[in-house]
Amino acid sequence: MSIIALEYHDVVAGADWDSSGFPGEAAASYKLSDVVFMAQLDVLSESGRRVGADVHAALADPEVPHVLLTFDDGGASALTVIGPALASRGWRAHLFVPTDRIGTPGFVTVEGLRNLQRAGHVIGSHSATHPTRMSRLSAAALRAEWRGSIALLEDILGERVTVASVPGGYYSRPVAEAASEAGVRALFTSEPVTAIETVASCAVIGRFTLRRWHSARYAASLAGRRSFARYGQWIGWSAKKLLKRTAGDAYLRWRAATFERASR
Ligand SMILES: [Zn+2]
């Protein structure tokens, strides 16, 4: 349990949720306000763990307890809020980008990615198209998602890209095998576990997710030594996984309907 990885998405000022990342109410429930985010960083700095290291450094240093900070979806707030907030503390963000979105409204640009790289942050793939169910893709489609997105990022950044995260939490072993083949050495999932698995040449690392309503205290609890918050996420995730497996399309329809109701 030496690595606890936290999964964030966008961080926005005020309640302008659609200003960064994917639009809509379902996506917004994964976005944090900048005020709450800064408060979370404050409590994490007091967690007794090393916060904000590069994942490869953390994997090479298993005796030291780490908190890794990861951000999915490549929203524009990576450059305006997240990058500067972490850099001012000497921490690194792992920023995972669905490469088809680069330069589109609400998402980071090519120049923005280069600026984030220069500031010391780690840029990785979040697939090319952000498919709804990554684990359902054929082997060829999985290869195309990882290889295409990584080739593009390497072209932009001028260096090897060895980290990635799985979109939508739809993880399976073939997803990791295809990522490994594409050069990924650290793959983050959304499974709320601290055990790290190795698939081919790739370390598969679970993450604990922060949602819009989570307080600084909750973030502190996720990073704690014995954590009911981590256990709670695991219970919730296990139930949801069962539902996804048994209900499939019905689960996605229910989720969409629930968020539509909530946003009315
Ligand atoms: Zn995503």
Side-chain angles (χ1 to χ4, degrees):
M1 209 197 55
S2 70
I3 291 180
I4 291 171
L6 300 182
E7 176 182 343
Y8 288 97
H9 293 74
D10 306 85
V11 179
V12 303
D16 192 6
W17 305 116
D18 286 351
S19 63
S20 180
F22 290 103
E25 186 60 26
S29 75
Y30 287 89
K31 300 176 186 182
L32 268 66
S33 85
D34 54 351
V35 176
V36 171
F37 180 65
M38 301 305 171
Q40 292 191 357
L41 297 186
D42 284 342
V43 298
L44 289 173
S45 69
E46 293 158 9
S47 65
R49 292 173 172 273
R50 188 171 298 168
V51 183
D54 173 301
V55 60
H56 297 302
L59 287 168
D61 194 13
E63 300 305 314
V64 176
H66 282 272
V67 171
L68 301 183
L69 303 173
T70 75
F71 300 83
D72 281 4
D73 290 352
S77 65
L79 190 66
T80 53
V81 184
I82 297 163
L86 267 60
S88 71
R89 294 166 186 269
W91 297 352
R92 286 163 196 265
H94 298 80
L95 300 159
F96 297 116
V97 183
T99 51
D100 280 8
R101 299 287 174 154
I102 294 171
T104 64
F107 291 86
V108 285
T109 60
V110 165
E111 206 36 56
L113 285 172
R114 291 185 181 134
N115 286 338
L116 287 160
Q117 176 195 32
R118 272 195 293 275
H121 301 300
V122 182
I123 316 286
S125 166
H126 192 44
S127 80
T129 68
H130 204 282
T132 308
R133 274 182 280 188
M134 188 90 172
S135 54
R136 289 273 184 94
L137 299 185
S138 67
L142 279 178
R143 252 198 313 276
E145 288 284 350
W146 289 134
R147 284 201 178 153
S149 58
I150 285 167
L152 181 62
L153 287 174
E154 289 182 341
D155 203 34
I156 291 169
L157 302 171
E159 64 178 22
R160 286 203 53 207
V161 169
T162 57
V163 296
S165 73
V166 181
Y170 281 88
Y171 171 75
S172 67
R173 198 180 167 88
V175 169
E177 285 167 352
S180 176
E181 239 180 82
V184 175
R185 296 296 168 259
L187 177 68
F188 290 90
T189 71
S190 300
E191 313 215 349
V193 296
T194 54
I196 296 172
E197 201 191 336
T198 304
V199 174
S201 305
C202 188
V204 178
I205 304 166
R207 292 184 293 178
F208 297 85
T209 305
L210 276 307
R211 306 287 296 271
R212 190 164 79 194
W213 47 82
H214 286 144
S215 64
R217 202 167 148 183
Y218 183 82
S221 173
L222 284 179
R225 189 182 283 268
R226 287 170 186 278
S227 172
F228 285 112
R230 286 204 300 273
Y231 184 62
Q233 282 210 5
W234 185 80
I235 294 286
W237 167 79
S238 303
K240 203 164 93 177
K241 191 166 164 180
L242 189 68
L243 190 66
K244 279 176 174 173
R245 214 176 264 161
T246 52
D249 292 335
Y251 166 76
L252 288 175
R253 279 198 302 275
W254 167 82
R255 186 169 171 272
T258 304
F259 278 112
E260 270 165 33
R261 264 202 306 281
S263 63
R264 253 178 234 152

